[in-house]
Amino acid sequence: MTVTVTQVVDGSARPAVFEYGDFLTLNDKASSQVKRSYRKLNGSSQPSMIEKGPLRIVITDSPSDFTIEQHLSELMKFNVKHVCRACEPSYSTSALTQAGIKVHDFAFPDGDPPSDIIISQWLDTIEECFISGPNILKATDRISVHCVAGLGRAPVLV
């Protein structure tokens, strides 16, 4: 699929055309803009649910301070108890923590693989939530993971 993103550079609008596979070669900001455009064009801005064995994971795009209440409402529909951010923080987590949702930060650069430390922390969270431990989730509970657009870093972790 081809996506056209118009960027304003020095007061001039410059359309940029990208194929979906080009995302890995774009800088972080341009990549995020293209991914968001792709999601909107394909109607895929809805969360994606992954259920395999004991795992129950919801993949979303990143909320902003402006959209956090709507995002929280969606998370509550899915019984999300943990939110894992695979991108740099871009919103306050206070609404999530007040709702009893634990937030984990696993940021790594877009287009790069996660570091061994991030992988270890992610797997520890998965084990804590679904495999063993005193805080194992109920069968109806889920975790959520997001990056900027929900198409790159978040699915890589899952």
Side-chain angles (χ1 to χ4, degrees), residues 78-89:
F78 288 105
N79 295 325
V80 169
K81 303 300 180 191
H82 294 256
V83 168
C84 304
R85 298 195 283 197
C87 56
E88 295 297 325

Side-chain angles (χ1 to χ4, degrees), residues 98-112:
Q98 287 175 4
I101 296 174
K102 185 174 180 182
V103 179
H104 307 268
D105 285 311
F106 302 133
F108 61 97
D110 197 15
D112 286 357

Side-chain angles (χ1 to χ4, degrees), residues 53-128:
L55 304 181
R56 297 172 307 280
I57 302 170
V58 179
I59 300 175
T60 70
D61 57 357
S62 181
S64 66
D65 285 330
F66 182 73
T67 62
I68 191 66
E69 292 299 326
Q70 179 184 359
H71 190 75
L72 176 58
S73 176
E74 285 292 316
L75 295 177
M76 300 303 278
K77 288 179 191 175
F78 288 105
N79 295 325
V80 169
K81 303 300 180 191
H82 294 256
V83 168
C84 304
R85 298 195 283 197
C87 56
E88 295 297 325
S90 61
Y91 60 92
S92 170
T93 62
S94 60
L96 299 176
T97 56
Q98 287 175 4
I101 296 174
K102 185 174 180 182
V103 179
H104 307 268
D105 285 311
F106 302 133
F108 61 97
D110 197 15
D112 286 357
S115 68
D116 289 343
I117 293 169
I118 296 294
I119 292 171
S120 178
Q121 292 171 338
W122 167 252
L123 292 175
D124 287 348
T125 301
I126 293 296
E127 184 170 342
E128 171 190 329

Side-chain angles (χ1 to χ4, degrees), residues 6-77:
T6 302
Q7 298 175 314
V8 178
V9 180
D10 298 327
S12 300
R14 295 185 185 170
V17 178
F18 302 99
E19 292 295 324
Y20 184 68
D22 291 339
F23 293 158
L24 295 179
T25 62
L26 300 174
N27 65 42
D28 203 30
K29 185 175 181 181
S31 178
S32 298
Q33 290 170 333
V34 173
K35 287 178 184 177
R36 284 181 193 264
S37 297
Y38 180 82
R39 286 181 69 107
K40 288 177 184 174
L41 288 171
N42 285 294
S44 60
S45 62
Q46 297 297 318
S48 298
M49 176 83 74
I50 307 296
E51 293 186 339
K52 178 72 174 170
L55 304 181
R56 297 172 307 280
I57 302 170
V58 179
I59 300 175
T60 70
D61 57 357
S62 181
S64 66
D65 285 330
F66 182 73
T67 62
I68 191 66
E69 292 299 326
Q70 179 184 359
H71 190 75
L72 176 58
S73 176
E74 285 292 316
L75 295 177
M76 300 303 278
K77 288 179 191 175

